[in-house]
Amino acid sequence: GNSVTQMEGPVTLSEEAFLTINCTYTATGYPSLFWYVQYPGEGLQLLLKATKADDKGSNKGFEATYRKETTSFHLEKGSVQVSDSAVYFCALSDPGANSKLTFGKGITLSVRP
Amino acid sequence: GAVVSQHPSWVICKSGTSVKIECRSLDFQATTMFWYRQFPKQSLMLMATSNEGSKATYEQGVEKDKFLINHASLTLSTLTVTSAHPEDSSFYICSATRAGLAETQYFGPGTRLLVL
């Protein structure tokens, strides 16, 4: 079956530090890959996505590249802000299964001033 | 655009009672709606998928008689937790997809249920 593995958290960084959150996946077929963010007290929001190999998704300074050879979709940001503090979920969508999403466990990012 | 709301945002109930949670797509017609459950510090677990006018498809291990899902219109789905028990306490989240953008799910803010 499909699965998504995220690095263990939580992660605490100082403002303007570089961020990498690792995500690897196992899937049959050709899934689309997503990063969702959940700010405190709010629902999940789509941060970025990539639908095929070598695609790069980007939004709000965050980037992730769909790497088929390493089955990875690591999230990066060059300079984090306090407002980036949230829980980040990596997910994949199986186009052959009604676009059901399989989520990783999520990782909490705290950015201190 | 693509806003999904849930009501109530939190609910406390006594053991043995039933609780209904509503999920609405406010500015689009939702071809499919999903219901998830999120335990503290854990990921989202898909409970069921529902399409308007048809029966929901439940994931393995989810009791369909306990978690009743009704998708009566293209903008409304409801989840009823019947005869709730303390172990049903959790954060319930819905999401919806719109026609032509089936891969992107728009999430509601969630409903926190506490069963005493």
Side-chain angles (χ1 to χ4, degrees):
Chain A
N2 298 332
S3 67
V4 176
T5 303
Q6 289 184 235
M7 59 185 279
E8 293 287 328
V11 173
T12 302
L13 295 174
S14 297
E15 204 165 24
E16 299 184 3
F18 184 84
L19 169 71
T20 299
I21 300 178
N22 289 342
C23 172
T24 57
Y25 67 91
T26 302
T28 55
Y30 303 95
S32 294
L33 301 174
F34 304 81
W35 277 100
Y36 280 86
V37 58
Q38 187 176 28
Y39 297 104
E42 299 184 16
L44 272 74
Q45 300 175 27
L46 178 64
L47 180 59
L48 54 83
K49 70 176 184 181
T51 58
K52 61 183 187 298
D54 299 326
D55 268 3
K56 178 188 282 187
S58 60
N59 185 25
K60 299 181 181 179
F62 291 89
E63 292 183 339
T65 301
Y66 190 144
R67 300 284 187 202
K68 191 167 182 290
E69 64 276 14
T70 54
T71 60
S72 65
F73 193 54
H74 304 323
L75 182 68
E76 296 183 338
K77 186 173 186 180
S79 175
V80 293
Q81 306 300 311
V82 172
S83 57
D84 294 326
S85 299
V87 182
Y88 291 81
F89 293 93
C90 185
L92 69 81
S93 171
D94 185 346
N98 202 16
S99 297
K100 288 196 299 186
L101 284 173
T102 301
F103 284 90
K105 287 190 175 182
I107 187 169
T108 299
L109 169 66
S110 298
V111 181
R112 21 168 223 259
Chain B
V3 178
V4 175
S5 71
Q6 283 184 240
H7 179 79
S9 56
W10 60 272
V11 56
I12 301 173
C13 70
K14 292 182 179 179
S15 188
T17 61
S18 294
V19 175
K20 180 185 285 189
I21 302 170
E22 293 185 348
C23 176
R24 292 182 186 273
S25 55
L26 298 185
D27 52 0
F28 67 99
Q29 292 188 325
T31 50
T32 304
M33 285 185 166
F34 302 84
W35 285 96
Y36 295 86
R37 186 171 176 178
Q38 185 180 27
F39 293 98
K41 300 188 187 299
Q42 293 194 31
S43 187
L44 282 72
M45 181 193 79
L46 180 64
M47 299 174 68
T49 303
S50 75
N51 295 291
E52 183 262 340
S54 60
K55 288 184 178 180
T57 303
Y58 290 81
E59 295 299 301
Q60 193 171 10
V62 178
E63 299 175 60
K64 61 180 181 182
D65 294 330
K66 179 160 187 67
F67 298 100
L68 300 178
I69 291 172
N70 183 277
H71 194 159
S73 76
L74 282 171
T75 59
L76 173 65
S77 176
T78 60
L79 167 68
T80 301
V81 183
T82 61
S83 186
H85 288 93
E87 59 265 29
D88 299 324
S89 299
S90 193
F91 194 52
Y92 293 89
I93 303 172
C94 73
S95 71
T97 60
R98 57 199 306 176
L101 290 172
E103 281 201 320
T104 301
Q105 294 186 25
Y106 301 95
F107 285 81
T111 296
R112 188 162 301 283
L113 169 64
L114 177 61
V115 184
L116 301 176

